[in-house]
Amino acid sequence: YEEIVFERTRRYQVEELFLLRKSSHTLISYASHDPVRHSSLRRVEATVKTLVSCLLDSDGELQPTFELPERRVALVRCGQHSLLVAVLRGSSNALVRADLDYLLRQAEDRYHDHLEEETDIFVHALQPILEGGLLIQSPAPPH
């Protein structure tokens, strides 16, 4: 019942965030509501591969959004040096996109073009910024 109400009231919740290098689509950092996934890079590697495989359409253009299993949607925000991919439950709107753009700007303003370097030093350094994005959700419907 709760899932039906969630969908019918057009609610949304960011469940996971993945920051990828713009040029190589490799992982820079991530955050997840699931504490087990959040604490282990190994547990999100398959998800990253799935997301990267869906990033580009048949013409090689970056898709702004795409469907995922379990009624989830991936929303892609493009920065100067990186891509922020948010896994959402529900549908997105302008408020979600604005909040995600703000998170992406925070990461890029802090590390600039260093984000393009193929290193794993940013995995934990950027998690606190991405964790803020896990709070993005629509308010509960009135009772």
Side-chain angles (χ1 to χ4, degrees), residues 25 27 32 50 70 82 84 111:
H25 300 155
L27 184 67
S32 175
T50 300
E70 299 177 16
S82 59
L84 181 63
Y111 295 106

Side-chain angles (χ1 to χ4, degrees), residues 19 21 26-31 41 82 107-108 110-130:
L19 189 64
R21 289 175 185 85
T26 55
L27 184 67
I28 299 171
S29 187
Y30 67 97
L41 178 60
S82 59
E108 290 200 337
R110 182 174 227 163
Y111 295 106
H112 309 288
D113 59 347
H114 296 290
L115 293 176
E116 295 177 23
E117 297 171 10
E118 293 290 334
T119 178
D120 61 355
I121 63 171
F122 299 114
V123 170
H124 298 295
L126 284 168
Q127 273 186 330
I129 291 173
L130 297 179

